[in-house]
Amino acid sequence: MTALSAESDGRAPVAATPNASPYLYFSDDRPIYLAGTTGPSWRIRRGVVRLSHPSPDGNTPVFAGIARAGDILGSEIQLFGTYTCDAYPIGEVELEAWLQADARSLLRTIAAAERRTVEAISLRAGEAMDRIRRLFVILSGETAQETSPVFIPCLKDMADITGLTQETVSRVVSQLRRLGILTRQGRSHGVIVMNALKKLPLQAS
C-alpha cells in the first residue's frame, strides 16, 4: 500500500486510492479531488473541507458547501461513479477511506449532507459579523472549548465562502481582534474565545 505524499507538485488531487491510510492534509491549496474524476468516498476524521462547483468560465469556482468531521465526502461516487464537486481542505484535514455502501449508511450520509446545505446557506445570509461568526464556529469544531485553536483562512477564501467582499471580511476580522475574541498566532492560525464569539449581538457589523 502506497502512502499519499504531501509533497506532490502543482494542484493535482492528492486523494487517489480507496486503500490509502488516513492522511493529514497540511495545506488548502491543492484539491482532495475534482469534479468529474473518480475515486473512493472519504470520512472526515478531523478538520473542515470546502466544496465547490467548477465555474462555467473555468476560472472562479462556485461555493457549494462545507463538510466537517464525521461527514462523508464523495458519497455520490456510490451512485454516479464520479465526484460532482471539487473538494479542498481548509487548513489541516485528516481523512479515511469510507467503503460502506449499505442503504442505511447512505441515508445517514444524505441526511448529513442536507444539514450541511442549510449550514452553507446560513454562511451566506445575514449581517457580515453573523456570517464570519458562523464560519469560525464551524472551523473551531462542534466540541470546541471556551478558548479554542482555529485555522484562519485567507481573506479570499473567507469572502468566497460567506459571499462578502475581502474588504468586509478584513474589517470584521479586525473587529474580532480588537474585541479580544480572536488572537492570531502566525499567518493562518489563532485562538478564539467561543463564548464571547457566540454572545456577540446578532446584528453586529
Side-chain angles (χ1 to χ4, degrees):
M1 180 168 58
T2 302
L4 300 175
S5 171
E7 303 300 328
S8 60
D9 295 328
R11 299 174 66 83
V14 289
T17 72
N19 296 317
S21 300
Y23 187 76
L24 186 65
Y25 295 89
F26 294 96
S27 173
D28 64 346
D29 61 353
R30 290 178 297 119
I32 297 171
Y33 57 73
L34 295 174
T37 62
T38 188
S41 300
W42 300 90
R43 183 189 303 277
I44 303 176
R45 292 172 58 90
R46 180 167 64 90
V48 178
V49 173
R50 173 184 175 178
L51 301 172
S52 60
H53 293 295
S55 62
D57 60 13
N59 295 320
T60 306
V62 179
F63 176 69
I66 280 180
R68 61 167 82 176
D71 289 346
I72 305 300
L73 287 177
S75 58
E76 67 272 18
I77 283 283
Q78 309 288 335
L79 298 174
F80 307 120
T82 60
Y83 300 118
T84 58
C85 292
D86 299 336
Y88 285 83
I90 301 178
E92 297 179 352
V93 175
E94 186 177 4
L95 307 175
E96 65 178 351
W98 184 75
L99 303 178
Q100 302 180 53
D102 59 276
R104 180 173 295 182
S105 295
L106 286 175
L107 286 174
R108 285 198 299 265
T109 300
I110 292 170
E114 289 180 348
R115 290 196 298 271
R116 295 304 175 232
T117 297
V118 173
E119 193 172 68
I121 292 172
S122 75
L123 288 172
R124 301 174 72 85
E127 298 296 323
M129 180 63 81
D130 293 339
R131 301 188 200 187
I132 298 300
R133 170 171 54 187
R134 294 184 193 111
L135 177 59
F136 277 124
V137 169
I138 291 172
L139 293 176
S140 298
E142 295 179 349
T143 59
Q145 303 300 312
E146 164 61 13
T147 301
S148 298
V150 63
F151 177 80
I152 304 174
C154 67
L155 291 179
K156 181 181 182 304
D157 284 347
M158 284 195 284
D160 289 344
I161 291 170
T162 59
L164 300 168
T165 65
Q166 293 187 47
E167 292 75 14
T168 299
V169 172
S170 178
R171 174 174 57 80
V172 173
V173 170
S174 295
Q175 184 177 352
L176 291 176
R177 295 178 67 185
R178 288 195 302 271
L179 293 172
I181 295 173
L182 177 65
T183 303
R184 279 191 178 271
Q185 295 183 339
R187 189 178 69 175
S188 59
H189 290 81
V191 173
I192 199 157
V193 182
M194 293 302 299
N195 283 348
L197 181 72
K198 293 178 179 178
K199 289 178 180 178
L200 283 172
L202 288 177
Q203 299 301 317
S205 60

